[in-house]
C-alpha cells in the first residue's frame, strides 16, 4: 500500500516497469514522447490468454433466438458481448454474480434494452467495476440506449462507466449514488441536456469526459465538492457556478477545457471576462482550452501562474485583438490558435519578455520549450513581427509550424525559418506566404 499515490499513478509506474522489460513492442508515441498505444508481444499475449482463460469470456451472437450461455463459470470476471443485428442479449449473463467488467456491442431495440435487459443487469451484476455500452459505437451516434434505468444505483462498486455516443437526454439522479465512480464518459452524447443535480455526491470522480455534448447547458452546482477531479473535457459555464466551482482548490486537475457558449453579444463581453477571472484553475494545470469566449481580453490575472502548462488552445475568441504574453510560460510545448477573428498583429507583447528599458536582454528566452505552434482561420491577421527590439532567443525548440487559412498574413518572423530545429512547416490557404516560402 502506498497511501500518498493515486491508483492511476501506481498503474503508470507498473506499466513503465513492464515496458522496460520488453513485454510490449511497436510503441506509438506523441510529440511529448508519451505512449499512445503498443502491442503485446505474441509470447506474452499467448501466456496472458492461458492465465486468464477461466476469468475472461467473449461471445458473439448472430441468431435471433436468445442463446443460453452455459459455459460461463463463477470464476469469470471480465466479459465482452458482441450482438449481431436483431440478436437478443443473453440474460443468462446475469447469473455470473461476480462479473467485474462488461463490454457490450449492440445496435438493437431500445425499448427491449430499457424494459428488459438493463434493469435486470443492474439488479444482478452488482459487483461490476467497469460497464461499457459504447465500445463499438465510435462511428455512429445512433446509440441503442436512450435512457438509463433508475436502478443503476445498485452498481455501488462501479468505477468506470462509458455511455459515449448514446442518445440519452438526461441521467437519473440515482447515478449520483455511485460514490466509487472514478470515470464518467458521456462524450458525443449530443442530446444530453443536463447532468444530475446531485452530481457533487460523486466525490471520487476523477475524469469527466464530456466533449461533444452540444446540448449540455450547464454543469450543476456542487461541482466544487469534486476535489479528486483530474480532467474535465468541457466546463460549461452557467447558473452561477463560476466562483462556486473553486477550480483552484482541485489540486489534481490537470486538463481543463472552458466553453463559454452563445448568447447576447454585448452582455457576454463583460460577463465572459468576469467569469474567466473567476474560473482560476490550480497552478499545476497541464492542458487548457478556452473556446467561444466573447471578452475583449483573454489574459486573466491567473494565466501567468500556470507554470506547468504544456498545451494551450484558444479558439473562436472573436473579440480579442491581442494575444496574451505567453512567452513567459516556462513549460508551454504546444500552442494552438483557431478563429481569433480580431487579431490583426502578433508583436512583442506576445513574447512577454520586455525589460524595463523596452529591450530584452540577450539572455532572455521566450517560449523556451515550445515545440508546436499553429494558426488557423485568422482572416484579419496581417503582421507577425517582433521588430528590432528583441535580442533574446525566441522559440529555440520549435519543431512544427502550421499556418492555415490566414489570407492576409504577409510574412513570417525571420527567426522561425532560420531555426535549425524546425522539422515540419505547413502553409496553405495563405496566398502571400505561399509565394514567399515555396519549397
Amino acid at each position: 500500500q502506498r497511501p500518498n499515490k493515486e491508483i492511476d499513478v501506481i498503474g503508470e509506474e507498473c506499466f513503465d516497469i513492464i515496458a522496460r522489460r520488453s513485454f510490449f513492442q511497436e510503441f506509438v508515441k506523441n510529440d511529448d514522447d508519451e505512449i499512445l498505444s503498443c502491442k503485446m508481444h505474441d509470447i506474452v499475449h499467448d501466456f496472458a490468454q492461458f492465465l486468464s482463460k477461466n476469468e475472461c469470456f467473449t461471445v458473439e451472437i448472430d441468431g435471433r433466438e436468445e442463446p443460453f450461455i452455459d459455459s460461463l463459470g463463477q470464476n469469470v470476471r471480465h466479459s465482452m458481448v458482441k450482438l449481431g443485428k436483431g440478436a437478443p442479449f443473453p440474460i443468462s449473463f446475469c447469473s455470473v454474480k461476480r462479473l467485474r467488467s462488461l463490454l457490450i456491442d449492440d445496435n438493437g431495440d431500445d425499448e427491449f434494452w430499457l424494459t428488459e435487459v438493463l434493469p435486470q443487469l443492474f439488479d444482478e451484476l452488482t459487483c461490476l467495476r467497469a460497464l461499457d455500452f459504447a465500445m463499438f459505437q465510435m462511428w455512429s451516434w445512433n446509440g441503442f440506449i436512450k435512457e438509463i434505468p433508475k436502478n443503476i444505483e445498485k452498481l455501488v462498486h462501479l468505477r468506470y462507466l462509458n455511455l459515449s455516443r448514446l442518445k440519452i437526454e438526461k441521467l437519473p439522479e440515482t447515478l449520483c449514488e455511485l460514490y466509487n465512480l472514478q470515470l464518467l464518459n458521456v462524450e458525443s452524447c449530443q442530446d444530453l441536456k443536463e447532468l444530475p443535480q446531485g452530481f457533487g455526491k460523486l466525490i471520487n470522480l476523477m475524469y469527466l469526459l464530456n466533449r461533444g455534448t452540444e446540448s449540455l447547458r450547464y454543469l450543476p452546482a456542487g461541482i466544487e465538492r469534486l476535489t479528486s477531479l483530474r480532467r474535465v473535457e468541457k466546463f460549461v459555464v452557467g447558473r452561477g457556478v463560476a466562483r462556486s466551482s473553486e477550480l483552484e482548490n482541485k489540486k489534481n486537475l490537470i486538463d481543463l477545457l472552458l466553453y463559454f457558449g452563445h448568447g447576447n453579444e454585448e452582455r457576454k463581453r463583460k460577463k465572459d471576462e468576469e467569469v474567466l477571472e473567476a474560473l482560476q484553475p490550480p497552478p499545476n494545470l497541464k492542458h487548457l482550452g478556452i473556446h467561444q469566449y466573447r471578452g475583449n481580453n483573454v489574459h486573466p490575472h491567473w494565466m501567468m501562474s500556470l507554470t506547468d502548462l504544456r498545451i494551450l488552445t484558444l479558439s473562436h475568441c472573436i473579440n480579442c485583438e491581442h494575444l496574451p504574453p505567453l512567452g513567459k510560460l516556462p513549460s508551454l510545448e504546444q500552442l494552438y490558435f483557431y478563429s481569433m477573428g480580431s487579431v490583426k498583429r502578433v508583436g512583442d507583447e506576445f513574447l512577454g519578455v520586455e525589460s524595463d528599458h523596452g529591450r530584452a536582454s540577450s539572455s532572455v528566452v521566450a517560449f523556451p520549450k515550445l515545440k508546436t505552434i499553429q494558426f488557423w482561420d485568422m482572416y484579419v491577421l496581417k503582421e507577425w513581427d517582433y521588430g528590432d527590439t528583441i535580442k533574446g532567443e525566441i522559440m529555440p525548440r520549435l519543431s512544427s509550424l502550421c499556418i492555415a487559412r490566414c489570407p492576409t498574413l504577409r510574412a513570417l518572423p525571420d527567426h522561425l525559418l532560420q531555426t535549425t530545429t524546425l522539422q515540419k512547416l505547413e502553409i496553405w490557404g495563405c496566398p502571400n506566404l505561399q509565394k514567399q516560402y515555396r519549397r
Side-chain angles (χ1 to χ4, degrees), residues 265 269 293-297 316-323 338-346 377-382:
E265 184 66 27
R269 286 197 186 200
Y293 173 77
R294 294 296 189 270
N296 294 323
N297 184 352
H316 296 86
C317 303
I318 61 174
N319 295 319
C320 297
E321 296 183 0
H322 304 285
L323 300 180
Y338 303 122
S339 297
M340 303 291 286
S342 296
V343 176
K344 298 179 181 179
R345 186 178 187 275
V346 177
D377 298 324
M378 306 277 280
Y379 292 105
V380 300
L381 179 62
K382 295 182 179 180

Side-chain angles (χ1 to χ4, degrees), residues 136-149:
F136 299 96
Q137 297 290 332
M138 63 173 56
W139 304 118
S140 172
W141 281 268
N142 297 319
F144 57 93
I145 295 175
K146 297 186 176 75
E147 187 175 341
I148 303 299

Side-chain angles (χ1 to χ4, degrees), residues 184 195 199 205-210 219 229 231-233:
L184 175 62
L195 296 175
F199 203 70
L205 193 69
M206 300 170 65
Y207 301 94
L208 175 58
L209 308 184
N210 60 336
L219 294 186
L229 276 178
R231 181 178 183 183
V232 182
E233 284 192 335

Side-chain angles (χ1 to χ4, degrees), residues 88-157:
F89 182 85
I91 296 298
S92 50
F93 260 84
C94 295
S95 64
V96 189
K97 304 295 185 181
R98 297 181 181 179
L99 199 64
R100 297 292 193 270
S101 306
L102 179 59
L103 285 67
I104 301 172
D105 171 28
D106 185 28
N107 198 20
D109 179 68
D110 175 66
E111 187 64 26
F112 173 69
W113 275 94
L114 180 60
T115 59
E116 301 290 337
V117 178
L118 293 185
Q120 192 166 348
L121 283 180
F122 295 165
D123 276 337
E124 302 294 339
L125 302 183
T126 55
C127 289
L128 279 177
R129 268 62 169 178
L131 181 58
D132 190 332
F133 290 114
M135 182 178 178
F136 299 96
Q137 297 290 332
M138 63 173 56
W139 304 118
S140 172
W141 281 268
N142 297 319
F144 57 93
I145 295 175
K146 297 186 176 75
E147 187 175 341
I148 303 299
K150 294 181 179 179
N151 67 335
I152 194 173
E153 64 183 336
K154 294 189 176 182
L155 305 182
V156 293
H157 299 291

